[in-house]
Each structure stands twice: as structure tokens, then as C-alpha cells.
Amino acid sequence: MTWWCTGIRWKGSAPVIGWYGQGRGERVSTPAYGQRLAFVARGERHCLGVWRAGKRTPCPASATVPGRGGSAQCPECARLDRSFSVAADTNAADPRTYRVYLAWFGPGMVKVGITAEERGSARLLEQGAMAWTWLGRGPLMATRRTEELLRAALGVPDRIAYARKRAVRAHLPGAPERAREVAELHGRAAALAGWPESLERLGCEVTDHAAVFGMDGWEGFAAPDRVVAEMAADRAVVGRLIGAAGPDLHFEDGLVVDTRLLAGWELAAPGEGAVTSVPVAQIPSAAASPVEQDGLF
């Protein structure tokens, strides 16, 4: 029975790699920093269907998807997924409590966003936020209005391209400076008029993810300079894992593996002596990276 990779999830404060076997459910494996990872893609990349409320609905067409795309979903499953998406504003009646946050990825690289309170800090780990703080909590539409208020008044975006995050990840200032920038922006946000009355404001308590991501032990390793561009059948990835941030696995030789590209593939152990043979792309400088969308590059 084939197990297809579903990419990285963050469980507690640790990355786990998800697997899905049709008719067998879900399982995870937990990689450890310092561990050697080696895998090769087999067969074709399959649509993983729709994951909602902790349950996966298989793709009705058993479709295959391109190896380069960041989503392991066919167009029909992606459409169904978005029909229940808070991010796409298609689920405005969601009764859960939400929180508004500020997330810091690098100097001058801060975004505002919302997440369901029940998810805790998972959304911040999934995005690769280096430092962050809550701003407030309340009903979905109140948090959405607050998000829009802060975007307009403070000039901060709701998306930052992963290419920009990768470009600065190995060259960040220390934790005190990261916390200072987050706290300053929190103060500016708190001073704004026009917050919805139904939103409970929260004080600034900055959380730093350098240790969780393994970045406090990167000294002596190569800076991230290459990222896997796509997975393809019979192509391998081999390296020693030194950290993870968001969907990215960081290897000691400077290679970054965006695990969104692994989703939908059957991954197997390569033969003895295998080396990385997947197509890779250079990680551009922060100034050259696109900012329009939170895509692969």
C-alpha cells in the first residue's frame, strides 16, 4: 500500500512529516535536527484531495498533479478547499474565536494575520515566523476588520513571499532586536483608533522561534543558497537536516527543501551512494525576491 507524503506539519513545537495512505488514514514521522535524510520520488504525484476538520476526503478523480506546483491538489479539489477557507473569505459564519497577530520574518519584514484561537501558535510556525506577538482576540469578522485596519494604517502586508523569508533567514539580527521591532509595531497598532469594540486587545508578549527552528545552532554551516525547484520521479534528495522553518527543511550544505513540493509523492529510500539529483534554484537576495504573493519563489 502506497503512503503519499503530505508535507510538514507542526505538532507542538516540532516539525513532523505527514503521510496519507488511501483507505489507511494518516500517520506522521518525526525528523530530528542532525539526522541524515535521503529519499527519492516514485511513480507520479497524486492529488491529496481535501483536508477539512481533521479528515481527508480523497480526490474523486484520483488525479495527478505537476511536480513543480506548491499545492498537491487538482483544480477541483482546490476549488472545494477554498469554499471552506477563512483566508478566502468564504466561511464568514465561522463561530470560533480568532486571534490577530504580528509576525516578524526579517528587518522591516512584518505581516499581520489572523488564526483560529484553538490552533494556538501553529499558524506562526507554519509560516516560518522568527518572532511574533498577539494583538487581540474576538469573532472572525472583528479580527478580519482589525487585520484590514492595521494593513492600511501601518503599511504592513498580509503576505510575504517565501523567497524573501529564505533570503534573510541565515542573516538575522539577534533576538533582542527582533523583539524590539515587534514591540514597536505592537505599540503603534495599539495606539490606532477604530478597533472593533468586540475585539479584546492583548498585550505585547513576543515569542521567538530561533531555537524551535534549530537556527541557534547554525554556526559553521553553509548559509541557505539553493532551494529544490521541483520533485520528479526517480530524483533524490540527500543531506543532513539542521533546521526547519515553515514548510522548509534546511540541510547543512545550504540546500532548502520546500516540503510543499514533496506532498503527493511516494518517497522511498534511494540506492546506496545516492546524491541530490532534483532540479534546484538559487535563492535570490532579499532585494531581488518577489513580494507580490506568498508562492514558491
Side-chain angles (χ1 to χ4, degrees), residues 7 11 22 49 53 84-85 92 96 98 126 140 146-147 166 169 190 192 199 219 232 255 262 269 292-293 296:
K11 189 174 181 180
Q22 191 163 340
F84 291 89
S85 170
R96 294 176 296 174
Y98 278 76
E126 290 167 354
L140 171 59
T146 304
E147 180 186 35
R166 295 185 187 115
R169 200 170 279 156
L192 292 173
L199 192 88
E219 294 82 2
L255 179 67
L262 306 184
E292 291 82 4
Q293 59 183 355
L296 281 174

Side-chain angles (χ1 to χ4, degrees), residues 201-227:
R201 300 196 189 198
L202 298 174
C204 182
E205 296 183 6
V206 179
T207 298
D208 196 276
H209 280 159
V212 173
F213 292 159
M215 291 181 56
D216 54 355
W218 279 14
E219 294 82 2
F221 293 119
D225 62 355
R226 306 174 329 279
V227 60

Side-chain angles (χ1 to χ4, degrees), residues 53-228:
K55 182 179 180 180
R56 189 177 305 279
T57 301
C59 175
S62 299
T64 58
V65 293
R68 189 177 179 85
S71 172
Q73 286 182 313
C74 67
E76 179 62 17
C77 287
R79 185 189 66 78
L80 289 172
D81 206 19
R82 288 185 64 82
S83 70
F84 291 89
S85 170
V86 169
D89 285 329
T90 55
N91 195 18
D94 191 329
R96 294 176 296 174
T97 298
Y98 278 76
R99 289 198 175 208
V100 188
Y101 61 81
L102 285 172
W104 186 96
F105 301 92
M109 200 180 299
V110 182
K111 63 158 283 186
V112 61
I114 68 172
T115 185
E117 185 171 72
E118 65 191 35
R119 299 200 67 215
S121 62
R123 183 66 180 142
L124 287 306
L125 292 163
E126 290 167 354
Q127 295 181 77
M130 291 304 308
W132 61 275
T133 185
W134 299 122
L135 284 164
R137 62 186 296 273
L140 171 59
M141 295 315 295
T143 57
R144 181 66 82 196
R145 288 195 297 272
T146 304
E147 180 186 35
E148 294 299 325
L149 168 69
L150 299 181
R151 286 177 57 198
L154 302 180
V156 294
D158 64 347
R159 292 189 179 187
I160 296 176
Y162 276 107
R164 294 190 68 207
K165 300 174 188 179
R166 295 185 187 115
V168 302
R169 200 170 279 156
H171 308 285
L172 297 177
E177 187 172 341
R178 298 196 288 263
R180 177 188 57 77
E181 188 170 344
V182 174
E184 287 180 355
L185 197 56
H186 184 284
R188 290 173 57 196
L192 292 173
W195 286 56
E197 293 184 2
S198 58
L199 192 88
E200 176 189 349
R201 300 196 189 198
L202 298 174
C204 182
E205 296 183 6
V206 179
T207 298
D208 196 276
H209 280 159
V212 173
F213 292 159
M215 291 181 56
D216 54 355
W218 279 14
E219 294 82 2
F221 293 119
D225 62 355
R226 306 174 329 279
V227 60
V228 172

Side-chain angles (χ1 to χ4, degrees), residues 22-54:
Q22 191 163 340
R24 300 180 69 181
E26 312 276 333
R27 64 180 178 88
V28 298
S29 56
T30 305
Y33 300 155
Q35 175 185 359
R36 180 181 181 272
L37 296 182
F39 50 84
V40 61
R42 297 298 191 201
E44 296 180 292
R45 190 185 190 194
H46 291 261
C47 173
L48 293 175
V50 178
W51 174 264
R52 186 166 63 249

